[in-house]
Amino acid sequence: MENQGKYLFTSESVTEGHPDKIADQISDSILDAVLEKDSVGRVACETLVTTGLAFVAGEITTRSYVDIPRIVRATIQEVGYTRAKFGFDYQTCAVVTAIDEQSPDIAMGVDPGGAGDQGMMFGFACRETPELMPLPIMLAHRLTRALSRARREERLAYLRPDGKSQVTVEYEGFRPVRIDTVVVSCQHDAATKIETLRDEIKREIILKNLPEDLLDAKTRYHINPTGRFAVGGPQGDTGVTGRKIIVDTYGGWGHHGGGAFSGKDPTKVDRSASYMARYIAKNLVSAGVTERAEVQVAYAIGVAEPVSLMVDTSGTGKIPQAKIHDLVRSHFRLKPQEIIEHLNLRRPIFRATAAFGHFGRTEAEFTWEKTDKADAIRRDAGL
């Protein structure tokens, strides 16, 4: 796109009370509970939430006991669905479980260190933000985090847990130059006047959290554009684990292999190799060998070595493409067990990833966000 001239690009985010994100958080809370007691436990856990019901299914193999209904209710409570009038309530919703053990046919390939499934995974990094993330998704996350804080701190008392944001950025080539459109939709108390909500959301959520220099007189604002969002959460829309994979990653920049992250232990390369691909891309950009990097890695089930590795710099590389590929091969180990060990993934850290994105985060648990390889890569690249 460096020669495309001006164009618009849009990314969205959702709050932790969005139905799909409730499902993701339940699945990852169950994963964390298993890893807390059994670091080599195997988890592939899917959740569905709808009016009055949370349904958990999947394959879990562990030496420990995990009280799944208790974890489900505690997660829903923490998200904020604590009263029946919100349309979903942690105390009164039904919790149904259908859990099996992992197939021995899969375990036969994974136990010796092979990948837990076939597939391709992508990682991305660019210089648009300090986090080396695309600007639209980071701004969208900033708005949903602001919605969440305003609700939890009761600064906007009418807010309910469900909500969405969307930010459209105008680019010139790869350079973001202005924000074209902002969309915020937030669940609210039924008695709230739309005029009050729109005024306060624009003032307290949007204008206080988006860069002033990117907003102008032509920027458009759509706040609860239907005029009403009183029915939300699982009552308004069924939620399922893994349906917000673009929110989870880069907001649509780059490619996606299609595999969701939440509810999967790190032997599943859908998760661990995607984290490693981000780690590689971020270190390449941080090292200065390229302005942008998209990394693809692919695996065959039961096979430890990846079947392919690709690095695409979109023409922004400072050294030859073949040299960048060689640097990745020499500085990063890509067998699943090596990824798990290097990124320290056998820990109960995954609930935090299940809302507001898996990438561009600064918490210490997000080891794949480190740039600790950048200096060595820069040295070996001759920069």
Side-chain angles (χ1 to χ4, degrees), residues 25-349:
Q25 289 167 94
I26 290 172
S27 293
D28 272 339
S29 294
I30 293 169
L31 169 62
D32 281 354
V34 171
L35 293 178
E36 191 170 12
K37 298 179 179 179
D38 179 7
S39 64
V40 295
R42 299 276 169 76
V43 179
C45 179
E46 314 288 341
T47 303
L48 178 148
V49 293
T50 188
T51 305
L53 174 66
F55 186 94
V56 179
E59 298 77 48
I60 297 178
T61 302
T62 179
R63 298 169 298 198
S64 64
Y65 170 74
V66 175
D67 187 344
I68 290 177
R70 183 191 63 78
I71 294 167
V72 170
R73 295 188 190 281
T75 304
I76 296 169
Q77 179 185 22
E78 188 173 333
V79 167
Y81 285 101
T82 57
R83 303 176 68 181
K85 72 175 186 177
F86 294 172
F88 196 62
D89 177 21
Y90 79 99
Q91 292 178 308
T92 60
C93 70
V95 178
V96 179
T97 62
I99 302 295
D100 265 326
E101 290 191 350
Q102 184 186 63
S103 164
D105 297 341
I106 297 175
M108 184 170 59
V110 176
D111 289 345
D117 203 350
Q118 72 173 44
M120 60 281 189
M121 299 84 209
F122 291 87
F124 184 79
C126 62
R127 288 202 173 276
E128 293 177 26
T129 67
E131 300 86 359
L132 304 185
M133 286 283 287
L135 181 64
I137 187 64
M138 294 306 292
L139 296 182
H141 284 324
R142 191 181 296 179
L143 293 177
T144 52
R145 280 188 176 277
L147 280 176
S148 179
R149 285 195 304 271
R151 172 179 64 88
R152 292 180 180 277
E153 295 169 3
E154 299 184 344
R155 286 185 283 110
L156 300 178
Y158 49 78
L159 288 179
R160 299 293 179 256
D162 198 356
K164 293 182 175 183
S165 71
Q166 190 170 278
V167 179
T168 301
V169 174
E170 183 177 310
Y171 282 80
E172 292 180 356
F174 284 137
R175 186 171 66 90
V177 295
R178 60 180 292 272
I179 295 172
D180 182 81
T181 307
V182 181
V183 182
V184 174
S185 295
C186 51
Q187 185 187 7
H188 57 81
D189 178 272
T192 304
K193 293 182 178 180
I194 187 62
E195 297 81 9
T196 300
L197 183 146
R198 285 174 173 165
D199 177 68
E200 293 185 348
I201 292 297
K202 183 176 181 181
R203 184 178 67 249
E204 299 297 324
I205 302 300
I206 297 175
L207 297 182
K208 287 186 176 181
N209 288 284
L210 295 184
E212 185 178 353
D213 61 324
L214 294 180
L215 300 172
D216 58 30
K218 294 183 179 180
T219 301
R220 296 172 294 171
Y221 303 92
H222 298 293
I223 301 167
N224 281 31
T226 68
R228 185 174 174 85
F229 187 4
V231 177
Q235 183 185 24
D237 189 15
T238 298
V240 180
T241 299
R243 282 207 303 208
K244 282 291 176 281
I245 58 176
I246 300 303
V247 173
D248 285 342
T249 52
Y250 308 101
W253 272 116
H255 296 84
H256 197 295
F261 302 158
S262 289
K264 296 178 182 177
D265 75 76
T267 66
K268 279 72 172 175
V269 284
D270 275 340
R271 181 166 222 157
S272 54
S274 294
Y275 291 174
M276 178 55 86
R278 162 65 175 171
Y279 179 61
I280 295 169
K282 189 172 183 182
N283 276 274
L284 290 175
V285 172
S286 181
V289 301
T290 181
E291 294 295 301
R292 306 173 76 83
E294 182 180 55
V295 176
Q296 185 207 53
V297 61
Y299 292 85
I301 188 168
V303 179
E305 283 287 350
V307 299
S308 70
L309 170 69
M310 180 276 297
V311 182
D312 180 10
T313 66
S314 300
T316 66
K318 306 298 176 60
I319 60 176
Q321 193 82 12
K323 175 65 173 175
I324 294 176
H325 185 278
D326 291 343
L327 285 170
V328 172
R329 276 300 192 182
S330 64
H331 285 275
F332 300 94
R333 299 292 173 261
L334 297 176
K335 293 180 180 179
Q337 289 303 319
E338 294 170 334
I339 294 173
I340 290 168
E341 290 170 9
H342 186 79
L343 298 180
N344 196 13
L345 297 180
R346 292 198 185 278
R347 298 177 294 147
I349 59 172

